[in-house]
Amino acid sequence: MKVAQVGPLIYRIPPEKYGGTELVIYNLLKGLRDRGIDCVLFATEDSHVDCHIVPICPPLGWRDEEKIAYYEYLESCHVLSRQEDFDIIHIHFHPHNPQWFFSLPLFKKPVIFTVHSLLEGFAKIYRKFPHLTYVPIVSISNDQRKPLPFANYVATVYNGIDVSIFPYEEKKEDFLVFVGRAVFEKGVAEAIEIAKRLGKKLYIIAKVDTPQEEEYFSKYVKPQVDGKKVIFLGELTFNEKVEYLSKAEAFIFPMQWREPFGLVMIEAMACGTPVFVTDRGSAKEIVIHGKTGALIKARKKPKFMDEELIQAFVKTYKRYIDKVDPKECRRRVEENFTYKKMTQGYLETYEKVIKNWEIIRKNILSNNPTLALNKL
């Protein structure tokens, strides 16, 4: 089997610092290589993976949307021009992104999409363009499917990591850690308040490089940073990040959105560190309440600095922190969230889509308003 992996162009693969999607793609490529699968990666110029790479452009970051759109179209052209080289093409984007939406009728070889973000708000697009409901999608959690239940989900494949490179530590130090983006959805401000009420030192490892993140950071995080009890570390390298994750008493994650997966939760548990997380999105599929951390119930509609949520975190933390066994955290990841398990899930899904591609493609074409493009 020969597989094309089509990655985003924001960061290199693997990422130097932040980049959950890029890390997942890197781990998948590693797993496929271990299984003897021939892969080609479409990605940024400085990506470094043990397979053939089709370089599209330098890493683009998030700031210039027009530039991103241009190179994403260019990437889709490269993929289309090479499609006959592959048994299946695995695209890590939304299928309704413009470059894929308009090129779908032109794909004769099997195509599969993994969406690494939220699916809220896309129901109208799918109803207006019914061909999208036939496009094969892999969800990264079962909860991710709920806002768009009529999409063609061919599997749920959980993200996986190489557990062997995560340091396991049973003896914890007296501090908490937060890892994520500096935005409302990730709950950084709430994490600071929770740590203060618990009387714990908090290390914040966070990305701040978009206007939205910079505004949030300047308003709600920076004024709280004192360098003693609340310490901001910014983005760290992998080794630096896992050093804090492995030594922390807990990873505190009062997220305010429907997290589609949350890679950092399994990274923390791989280090033997419990996860205290808002019970939203995929959290209940990852964390076992009372064994590998705790799930904190929250109101249906998120509220900034929700006093009830903050109190619930403090109460739950005190109740469960001494009941979690680091060995259980590590075991949870080893049994469910390894890159090898993820690879097996994708290989089974590839075979399923390849087997059924002619039917899938016929449905896409017969319901596609851009069908005329395929007749040119």
Side-chain angles (χ1 to χ4, degrees):
M1 185 186 295
K2 189 166 185 178
V3 181
Q5 297 288 336
V6 185
L9 304 172
I10 307 302
Y11 304 117
R12 55 164 276 184
I13 297 174
E16 294 179 283
K17 294 180 180 179
Y18 186 86
T21 300
E22 289 77 11
L23 183 58
V24 169
I25 296 170
Y26 175 77
N27 285 335
L28 176 56
L29 284 163
K30 179 163 60 174
L32 292 171
R33 180 197 63 204
D34 292 347
R35 298 289 294 270
I37 304 298
D38 187 8
C39 290
V40 172
L41 172 65
F42 295 79
T44 61
E45 292 173 354
D46 60 346
S47 292
H48 187 71
V49 182
D50 188 13
C51 72
H52 178 69
I53 298 172
V54 179
I56 306 299
C57 60
L60 300 175
W62 288 101
R63 290 183 177 271
D64 192 335
E65 293 184 4
E66 290 186 6
K67 191 174 184 180
I68 293 171
Y70 169 78
Y71 280 108
E72 285 179 347
Y73 271 108
L74 184 63
E75 183 177 40
S76 68
C77 292
H78 277 283
V79 175
L80 276 167
S81 69
R82 294 278 304 274
Q83 66 168 308
E84 293 298 331
D85 296 341
F86 309 110
D87 295 301
I88 191 165
I89 299 161
H90 187 171
I91 302 172
H92 297 267
F93 285 85
H94 287 275
H96 63 260
N97 279 23
Q99 73 274 20
W100 306 114
F101 178 90
F102 290 108
S103 62
L104 275 170
L106 304 176
F107 279 103
K108 296 179 181 179
K109 300 306 284 282
V111 173
I112 192 169
F113 287 81
T114 296
V115 180
H116 295 271
S117 57
L118 297 176
L119 294 171
E120 271 87 350
F122 300 127
K124 289 183 179 179
I125 296 175
Y126 272 68
R127 289 192 177 100
K128 187 173 182 179
F129 302 103
H131 72 290
L132 289 172
T133 62
Y134 297 98
V135 177
I137 294 179
V138 173
S139 50
I140 56 176
S141 67
N142 293 321
D143 186 86
Q144 186 192 27
R145 300 181 177 197
K146 291 179 180 178
L148 198 63
F150 42 79
N152 182 21
Y153 301 106
V154 290
T156 289
V157 179
Y158 292 128
N159 292 335
I161 58 175
D162 183 351
V163 184
S164 68
I165 65 174
F166 286 82
Y168 172 72
E169 181 61 66
E170 285 194 38
K171 295 181 180 180
K172 303 298 184 180
E173 297 183 15
D174 189 23
F175 69 84
L176 305 175
V177 66
F178 171 90
V179 182
R181 293 178 289 120
V183 289
F184 164 74
E185 291 85 353
K186 297 292 186 177
V188 196
E190 289 81 3
I192 293 171
E193 183 60 26
I194 291 163
K196 284 183 175 181
R197 296 193 191 185
L198 288 169
K200 299 286 184 180
K201 181 186 294 187
L202 176 68
Y203 287 99
I204 301 171
I205 302 170
K207 181 176 81 73
V208 186
D209 68 356
T210 70
Q212 180 191 15
E213 293 163 358
E214 289 167 353
E215 181 181 5
Y216 181 94
F217 177 79
S218 64
K219 283 185 178 180
Y220 305 117
V221 180
K222 189 176 181 180
Q224 303 296 325
V225 174
D226 59 12
K228 296 178 181 179
K229 297 295 287 185
V230 180
I231 301 132
F232 178 73
L233 300 172
E235 287 189 76
L236 300 181
T237 64
F238 174 82
N239 289 334
E240 292 168 335
K241 178 182 71 173
V242 295
E243 181 178 0
Y244 283 96
L245 277 176
S246 63
K247 293 179 180 178
E249 190 173 77
F251 167 50
I252 196 88
F253 194 23
M255 62 177 179
Q256 297 278 44
W257 74 325
R258 194 174 199 151
E259 185 76 59
F261 186 81
L263 197 66
V264 68
M265 288 191 278
I266 63 173
E267 291 180 333
M269 291 193 299
C271 295
T273 301
V275 175
F276 287 77
V277 58
T278 315
D279 188 5
R280 289 194 174 101
S282 63
K284 65 172 62 68
E285 297 175 53
I286 297 172
V287 176
I288 301 177
H289 185 71
K291 285 192 174 183
T292 66
L295 301 165
I296 293 84
K297 292 193 179 300
R299 67 179 75 231
K300 187 174 182 180
K301 186 176 181 180
K303 177 183 177 183
F304 180 65
M305 294 301 287
D306 184 348
E307 180 61 26
E308 290 182 10
L309 179 65
I310 292 169
Q311 288 182 12
F313 258 88
V314 173
K315 182 179 179 180
T316 305
Y317 187 89
K318 291 178 178 178
R319 180 178 179 182
Y320 288 104
I321 187 59
D322 294 326
K323 297 180 180 180
V324 176
D325 185 348
K327 294 188 186 71
E328 287 293 328
C329 296
R330 179 81 168 195
R331 186 178 299 116
R332 173 70 173 158
V333 180
E334 289 174 335
E335 293 178 354
N336 297 277
F337 305 112
T338 66
Y339 80 95
K340 291 182 180 180
K341 185 163 184 137
M342 174 179 67
T343 301
Q344 179 61 30
Y346 275 115
L347 280 173
E348 291 172 2
T349 308
Y350 293 163
E351 291 171 359
K352 178 180 178 181
V353 172
I354 290 170
K355 181 180 178 181
N356 295 284
W357 178 246
E358 288 307 315
I359 296 172
I360 294 170
R361 184 168 183 264
K362 182 179 178 180
N363 285 325
I364 291 173
L365 292 176
S366 62
N367 290 275
N368 198 315
T370 60
L371 180 60
L373 289 174
N374 202 43
K375 297 179 179 179
L376 293 178

